[in-house]
Amino acid sequence: LMQGAADWVAGLNASSVETFNIAADPKSKAWSRLENDWSYIQVGKRTLPFHDVQFVKREHILVSRPAVYITEGHYDDHADKLLTYVRDGGGLIVGGLAWFWAQKNPKTSLLLNHPGNKLLSNFGIAFSESFVDYNDAKFPIKTMDIPSITYSYYFFSQLRSIGLNYRKDDEHLYDELYMFIDELETKEKFKDIIELNKKSLLS
């Protein structure tokens, strides 16, 4: 999985990940029960492939400029440097989850305030509060080779923009837009998606 992701973000069709420069962030954040807060942790090689991977701190990414950079979306330090790195052609893999953060911050916008989403929302993607149920995780999850646009949030937003107020039962992002519309529409990067949904959100 990691090799396939690295090949894809590096723009390679068929090659081994060992043949190009791949780097990983040595740091992340995790919830500390002892401190009752988020604290920095060293990621280490427990989360990485067995082959050699260079560790590069986020603040040095524009100096090192690897072909692919792996980091976790649990802290937002130096997100501006990661954004510049991607805009300059760098391949970025961001792992993480948001359901636990959402549980700890129930009255806060996930799109605006989750550390990983502060970066990812610039690319039109975001972590959601959804998760795979433990029982479902016991079985392989069917995936598509090329995801259809009809599975995207944008597709349902387009339907709502023409008056078809359709939504899926698990469409948590719609609830997010509804609850935090006043905050979100002040941000340039969310104006398009808010506009598409406005007729439905305000009805």
Side-chain angles (χ1 to χ4, degrees):
L1 179 64
M2 183 64 73
Q3 179 170 329
D7 284 350
W8 183 75
V9 297
L12 302 176
N13 293 322
S15 69
S16 172
V17 73
E18 287 95 338
T19 63
F20 60 91
N21 184 15
I22 181 171
D25 187 353
K27 186 168 69 173
S28 186
K29 269 190 174 181
W31 182 259
S32 170
R33 292 181 180 178
L34 182 63
E35 299 178 19
N36 198 33
D37 198 0
W38 300 92
S39 60
Y40 289 106
I41 60 169
Q42 292 298 313
V43 173
K45 292 197 173 184
R46 62 179 175 79
T47 59
L48 298 170
F50 293 110
H51 55 267
D52 290 336
V53 173
Q54 165 188 10
F55 285 97
V56 175
K57 293 181 179 179
R58 283 188 180 185
E59 55 265 43
H60 301 147
I61 188 67
L62 296 180
V63 176
S64 178
R65 292 190 180 276
V68 174
Y69 188 65
I70 303 170
T71 188
E72 292 188 2
H74 298 148
Y75 76 114
D76 58 3
D77 302 23
H78 308 289
D80 56 330
K81 287 183 169 57
L82 291 178
L83 186 58
T84 299
Y85 165 73
V86 173
R87 286 175 171 166
D88 288 348
L92 182 66
I93 298 174
V94 182
L97 49 88
W99 64 266
F100 186 76
W101 187 96
Q103 289 180 0
K104 291 291 182 182
N105 302 272
K107 297 181 179 180
T108 304
S109 169
L110 192 68
L111 282 174
L112 288 173
N113 299 295
H114 180 272
N117 286 345
K118 290 180 181 180
L119 169 68
L120 293 176
S121 58
N122 288 288
F123 310 126
I125 57 177
F127 289 116
S128 79
E129 64 185 67
S130 301
F131 57 90
V132 177
D133 184 81
Y134 171 76
N135 291 320
D136 293 335
K138 295 178 181 178
F139 305 96
I141 299 174
K142 184 179 179 181
T143 58
M144 295 169 290
D145 292 334
I146 302 176
S148 168
I149 192 172
T150 59
Y151 286 84
S152 71
Y153 185 78
Y154 178 75
F155 176 77
F156 298 109
S157 298
Q158 286 282 15
L159 292 180
R160 287 191 282 267
S161 72
I162 59 174
L164 300 176
N165 294 330
Y166 176 78
R167 63 165 296 187
K168 297 187 298 179
D169 293 336
D170 61 348
E171 202 174 349
H172 301 298
L173 186 53
Y174 183 83
D175 298 327
E176 170 88 7
L177 295 181
Y178 181 79
M179 292 173 61
F180 301 104
I181 183 173
D182 292 337
E183 292 178 68
L184 290 165
E185 65 180 350
T186 64
K187 305 293 183 182
E188 185 65 34
K189 60 185 175 181
F190 296 117
K191 283 186 177 179
D192 289 346
I193 202 71
I194 289 291
E195 193 60 36
L196 285 173
N197 287 275
K198 211 162 193 180
K199 185 182 295 186
S200 175
L201 290 169
L202 299 179
S203 61

